[in-house]
Protein backbone atom coordinates (compact mmCIF):
# COMPACT_ATOMS: atom_id res chain seq x y z
CA UNK A 1 0.00 0.00 0.00
CA UNK A 2 1.43 3.39 -0.94
CA UNK A 3 2.28 5.77 1.87
CA UNK A 4 1.35 9.39 2.31
CA UNK A 5 2.51 11.47 -0.62
CA UNK A 6 3.15 15.17 -0.64
CA UNK A 7 3.75 17.51 -3.54
CA UNK A 8 5.83 19.39 -4.28
CA UNK A 9 8.79 18.18 -2.25
CA UNK A 10 10.66 21.46 -2.50
CA UNK A 11 9.47 24.97 -3.11
CA UNK A 12 11.06 28.40 -3.22
CA UNK A 13 8.87 31.47 -2.99
CA UNK A 14 9.34 35.16 -2.26
CA UNK A 15 7.74 37.23 0.45
CA UNK A 16 4.17 38.24 -0.28
CA UNK A 17 3.45 35.33 -2.59
CA UNK A 18 1.07 32.51 -1.78
CA UNK A 19 1.64 28.79 -1.92
CA UNK A 20 -0.48 25.65 -2.08
CA UNK A 21 0.78 22.30 -0.83
CA UNK A 22 -0.89 19.00 -1.56
CA UNK A 23 -1.22 15.79 0.43
CA UNK A 24 -2.60 12.43 -0.62
CA UNK A 25 -3.30 10.15 2.34
CA UNK A 26 -2.82 6.41 2.53
CA UNK A 27 -5.62 4.66 0.67
CA UNK A 28 -8.61 4.26 2.97
CA UNK A 29 -7.45 6.91 5.42
CA UNK A 30 -9.97 9.68 5.88
CA UNK A 31 -8.25 11.90 8.41
CA UNK A 32 -5.48 14.27 7.39
CA UNK A 33 -3.44 16.55 9.64
CA UNK A 34 -0.82 19.14 8.83
CA UNK A 35 2.24 20.14 10.85
CA UNK A 36 4.90 22.78 10.49
CA UNK A 37 8.46 21.99 11.53
CA UNK A 38 11.05 24.71 12.09
CA UNK A 39 14.36 24.65 13.97
CA UNK A 40 13.11 27.26 16.40
CA UNK A 41 9.57 26.10 17.12
CA UNK A 42 9.85 22.39 16.43
CA UNK A 43 6.83 20.45 15.25
CA UNK A 44 3.60 22.39 15.54
CA UNK A 45 0.08 21.33 14.69
CA UNK A 46 -1.62 23.34 11.96
CA UNK A 47 -5.00 21.72 11.38
CA UNK A 48 -6.87 18.46 10.99
CA UNK A 49 -9.50 17.44 8.45
CA UNK A 50 -11.94 14.58 8.41
CA UNK A 51 -14.77 14.06 5.95
CA UNK A 52 -14.01 17.40 4.31
CA UNK A 53 -14.47 19.25 7.61
CA UNK A 54 -11.85 20.99 9.68
CA UNK A 55 -12.03 19.38 13.10
CA UNK A 56 -9.23 21.13 14.86
CA UNK A 57 -6.92 24.07 14.28
CA UNK A 58 -3.64 25.03 15.84
CA UNK A 59 -2.47 28.47 16.85
CA UNK A 60 -1.55 29.87 13.45
CA UNK A 61 -2.68 33.08 11.76
CA UNK A 62 -5.49 33.13 9.25
CA UNK A 63 -2.95 33.20 6.41
CA UNK A 64 -2.76 29.46 6.88
CA UNK A 65 -5.77 27.61 5.55
CA UNK A 66 -6.62 24.20 4.26
CA UNK A 67 -9.27 22.01 2.82
CA UNK A 68 -10.04 18.40 2.18
CA UNK A 69 -11.68 16.90 -0.87
CA UNK A 70 -14.17 14.07 -1.13
CA UNK A 71 -11.37 11.63 -1.99
CA UNK A 72 -9.64 12.62 1.30
CA UNK A 73 -6.82 14.43 -0.46
CA UNK A 74 -5.95 17.66 1.29
CA UNK A 75 -4.37 20.95 0.41
CA UNK A 76 -3.01 23.68 2.58
CA UNK A 77 -2.54 27.25 1.48
CA UNK A 78 -0.37 29.98 2.89
CA UNK A 79 -1.07 33.49 1.67
CA UNK A 80 1.15 36.56 1.92
CA UNK A 81 4.23 34.52 2.70
CA UNK A 82 6.67 35.75 5.34
CA UNK A 83 10.29 34.76 5.85
CA UNK A 84 9.27 32.92 9.01
CA UNK A 85 7.05 30.58 7.01
CA UNK A 86 10.16 28.81 5.75
CA UNK A 87 9.76 25.32 7.15
CA UNK A 88 9.17 21.66 6.50
CA UNK A 89 5.44 21.08 6.17
CA UNK A 90 4.39 17.57 7.07
CA UNK A 91 1.12 15.88 6.33
CA UNK A 92 -0.13 12.88 8.27
CA UNK A 93 -3.04 10.55 7.69
CA UNK A 94 -4.98 8.08 9.79
CA UNK A 95 -8.05 5.94 9.31
CA UNK A 96 -10.19 8.13 11.50
CA UNK A 97 -9.42 10.87 14.02
CA UNK A 98 -8.62 10.09 17.61
CA UNK A 99 -7.07 6.85 18.65
CA UNK A 100 -5.49 5.86 15.37
CA UNK A 101 -1.79 6.08 14.60
CA UNK A 102 -0.88 8.87 12.21
CA UNK A 103 1.46 8.11 9.34
CA UNK A 104 3.51 10.94 7.94
CA UNK A 105 4.52 11.89 4.44
CA UNK A 106 8.00 13.01 3.35
CA UNK A 107 7.09 16.67 3.73
CA UNK A 108 7.38 19.76 1.58
CA UNK A 109 10.36 22.00 2.23
CA UNK A 110 9.33 25.60 1.70
CA UNK A 111 11.91 28.36 1.47
CA UNK A 112 10.68 31.95 1.49
CA UNK A 113 13.17 34.53 0.23
CA UNK B 1 3.81 24.78 29.34
CA UNK B 2 5.27 21.99 27.31
CA UNK B 3 3.03 18.95 27.16
CA UNK B 4 5.91 16.74 26.07
CA UNK B 5 9.45 17.17 27.32
CA UNK B 6 12.48 15.48 25.92
CA UNK B 7 15.31 16.69 28.09
CA UNK B 8 18.04 14.99 26.08
CA UNK B 9 18.92 17.18 23.10
CA UNK B 10 21.73 15.05 21.71
CA UNK B 11 23.04 11.59 22.51
CA UNK B 12 26.04 9.79 21.06
CA UNK B 13 26.66 6.10 21.56
CA UNK B 14 29.04 3.57 20.13
CA UNK B 15 27.54 0.92 17.91
CA UNK B 16 26.08 -2.07 19.80
CA UNK B 17 25.51 -0.06 22.96
CA UNK B 18 22.02 0.24 24.37
CA UNK B 19 20.48 3.70 24.51
CA UNK B 20 17.41 5.02 26.30
CA UNK B 21 15.55 8.12 25.18
CA UNK B 22 13.55 9.91 27.83
CA UNK B 23 10.09 11.43 27.47
CA UNK B 24 7.93 13.10 30.09
CA UNK B 25 4.40 14.18 29.28
CA UNK B 26 1.70 16.26 30.85
CA UNK B 27 -2.04 15.86 30.35
CA UNK B 28 -5.28 16.06 32.30
CA UNK B 29 -7.11 13.69 29.98
CA UNK B 30 -7.67 10.17 31.23
CA UNK B 31 -7.60 8.85 27.68
CA UNK B 32 -4.47 9.63 25.73
CA UNK B 33 -1.97 8.05 23.39
CA UNK B 34 1.78 8.20 23.35
CA UNK B 35 4.00 7.69 20.34
CA UNK B 36 7.61 7.54 19.31
CA UNK B 37 8.62 8.61 15.84
CA UNK B 38 12.01 8.59 14.12
CA UNK B 39 13.06 11.29 11.69
CA UNK B 40 16.05 10.45 9.51
CA UNK B 41 17.80 13.21 7.51
CA UNK B 42 15.31 12.72 4.68
CA UNK B 43 12.69 14.38 6.87
CA UNK B 44 9.89 11.85 6.93
CA UNK B 45 8.60 10.93 10.38
CA UNK B 46 8.60 7.17 10.74
CA UNK B 47 6.20 5.61 13.24
CA UNK B 48 7.90 3.35 15.79
CA UNK B 49 5.62 2.58 18.69
CA UNK B 50 2.36 3.63 20.31
CA UNK B 51 0.79 3.14 23.69
CA UNK B 52 -2.60 4.14 25.07
CA UNK B 53 -3.20 5.39 28.58
CA UNK B 54 -5.01 2.25 29.68
CA UNK B 55 -2.19 -0.10 28.88
CA UNK B 56 0.93 0.23 30.95
CA UNK B 57 2.32 -3.09 29.89
CA UNK B 58 5.84 -2.65 28.65
CA UNK B 59 6.89 -4.63 25.65
CA UNK B 60 9.77 -5.44 23.44
CA UNK B 61 9.57 -5.30 19.68
CA UNK B 62 12.78 -6.45 18.09
CA UNK B 63 15.50 -4.09 19.25
CA UNK B 64 12.96 -1.58 20.55
CA UNK B 65 11.41 -1.55 23.98
CA UNK B 66 9.55 1.02 26.00
CA UNK B 67 8.82 1.81 29.60
CA UNK B 68 5.48 3.52 30.19
CA UNK B 69 4.91 4.69 33.76
CA UNK B 70 1.77 6.74 34.47
CA UNK B 71 2.91 7.40 38.03
CA UNK B 72 5.82 9.47 36.74
CA UNK B 73 4.21 10.50 33.41
CA UNK B 74 7.11 9.01 31.53
CA UNK B 75 7.31 7.09 28.28
CA UNK B 76 10.93 6.12 27.73
CA UNK B 77 12.18 4.34 24.64
CA UNK B 78 15.16 1.99 24.48
CA UNK B 79 17.12 0.77 21.50
CA UNK B 80 19.13 -2.34 22.21
CA UNK B 81 22.38 -3.06 20.39
CA UNK B 82 22.29 0.23 18.50
CA UNK B 83 23.27 0.35 14.85
CA UNK B 84 24.52 3.18 12.65
CA UNK B 85 21.17 3.17 10.83
CA UNK B 86 19.52 4.17 14.10
CA UNK B 87 21.11 7.60 13.82
CA UNK B 88 18.22 10.05 13.54
CA UNK B 89 16.13 12.48 15.53
CA UNK B 90 13.59 10.77 17.75
CA UNK B 91 10.35 12.45 18.72
CA UNK B 92 7.96 11.58 21.49
CA UNK B 93 4.36 12.67 20.88
CA UNK B 94 1.14 12.88 22.86
CA UNK B 95 -2.39 12.72 21.52
CA UNK B 96 -5.20 13.53 23.91
CA UNK B 97 -8.63 11.99 23.70
CA UNK B 98 -10.23 15.43 23.85
CA UNK B 99 -8.34 16.84 20.86
CA UNK B 100 -8.39 13.95 18.42
CA UNK B 101 -5.50 13.86 16.04
CA UNK B 102 -3.67 16.90 17.35
CA UNK B 103 -0.20 15.68 18.29
CA UNK B 104 1.94 17.48 20.81
CA UNK B 105 5.55 16.76 20.00
CA UNK B 106 8.62 17.00 22.15
CA UNK B 107 11.62 18.90 20.87
CA UNK B 108 13.34 15.72 19.77
CA UNK B 109 16.51 13.88 20.71
CA UNK B 110 19.24 13.64 18.11
CA UNK B 111 20.87 10.23 18.31
CA UNK B 112 24.24 9.55 16.72
CA UNK B 113 25.51 6.01 16.63
CA UNK B 114 29.25 5.91 16.10
CA UNK B 115 30.62 2.90 14.24
Amino acid sequence: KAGVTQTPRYLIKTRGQQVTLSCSPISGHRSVSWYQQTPGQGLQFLFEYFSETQRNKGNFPGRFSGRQFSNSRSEMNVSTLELGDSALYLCASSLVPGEETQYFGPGTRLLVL
Amino acid sequence: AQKVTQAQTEISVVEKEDVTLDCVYETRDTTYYLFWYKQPPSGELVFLIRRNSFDEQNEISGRYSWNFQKSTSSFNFTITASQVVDSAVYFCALSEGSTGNQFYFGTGTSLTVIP
Side-chain angles (χ1 to χ4, degrees):
Chain A
K1 186 183 279 191
V4 178
T5 58
Q6 293 186 244
T7 57
R9 293 293 311 279
Y10 304 92
L11 207 48
I12 299 175
K13 292 285 188 179
T14 56
R15 278 182 301 173
Q17 288 187 310
Q18 75 165 19
V19 66
T20 299
L21 311 182
S22 181
C23 171
S24 292
I26 292 172
S27 178
H29 284 194
R30 296 164 56 200
S31 176
V32 173
S33 299
W34 289 87
Y35 292 83
Q36 181 197 64
Q37 185 177 25
T38 60
Q41 299 299 318
L43 279 154
Q44 293 186 288
F45 172 77
L46 280 159
F47 26 64
E48 171 198 353
Y49 286 89
F50 176 68
S51 293
E52 302 176 66
T53 301
Q54 187 180 89
R55 294 186 73 248
N56 207 351
K57 190 178 191 315
N59 188 24
F60 279 83
R63 301 185 296 107
F64 291 81
S65 63
R67 59 179 177 169
Q68 186 180 36
F69 302 95
S70 58
N71 60 359
S72 296
R73 189 176 69 86
S74 177
E75 289 181 346
M76 67 162 283
N77 183 277
V78 187
S79 62
T80 319
L81 283 166
E82 300 177 358
L83 296 179
D85 296 333
S86 295
L88 177 66
Y89 290 88
L90 291 161
C91 168
S93 77
S94 64
L95 282 168
V96 291
E99 62 185 70
E100 297 291 333
T101 296
Q102 292 188 69
Y103 296 92
F104 285 80
T108 294
R109 291 190 183 274
L110 171 64
L111 177 61
V112 182
L113 302 176
Chain B
Q2 281 283 352
K3 283 185 175 284
V4 179
T5 301
Q6 293 180 254
Q8 303 154 309
T9 305
E10 295 180 4
I11 298 178
S12 291
V13 298
V14 176
E15 198 171 20
K16 297 184 183 178
E17 286 184 344
D18 299 347
V19 57
T20 295
L21 309 181
D22 299 334
C23 174
V24 174
Y25 63 92
E26 178 184 338
T27 181
R28 293 183 179 181
D29 282 24
T30 55
T31 300
Y32 54 90
Y33 306 89
L34 295 163
F35 302 82
W36 276 97
Y37 285 85
K38 170 183 177 180
Q39 187 176 44
S42 61
E44 181 173 346
L45 282 168
V46 178
F47 166 72
L48 296 174
I49 58 175
R50 157 204 152 127
R51 217 69 194 145
N52 70 51
S53 53
F54 299 107
D55 186 0
E56 283 192 80
Q57 183 177 354
N58 295 310
E59 294 183 16
I60 297 174
S61 175
R63 294 188 299 109
Y64 300 153
S65 62
W66 52 95
N67 187 348
F68 175 31
Q69 293 192 349
K70 291 176 72 171
S71 60
T72 56
S73 297
S74 65
F75 185 52
N76 298 335
F77 175 64
T78 297
I79 303 174
T80 303
S82 59
Q83 300 174 2
V84 173
V85 293
D86 295 328
S87 297
V89 180
Y90 289 80
F91 289 94
C92 179
L94 165 71
S95 169
E96 297 173 314
S98 59
T99 54
N101 269 7
Q102 180 173 350
F103 272 18
Y104 300 95
F105 282 93
T107 49
T109 297
S110 178
L111 173 65
T112 301
V113 180
I114 304 166

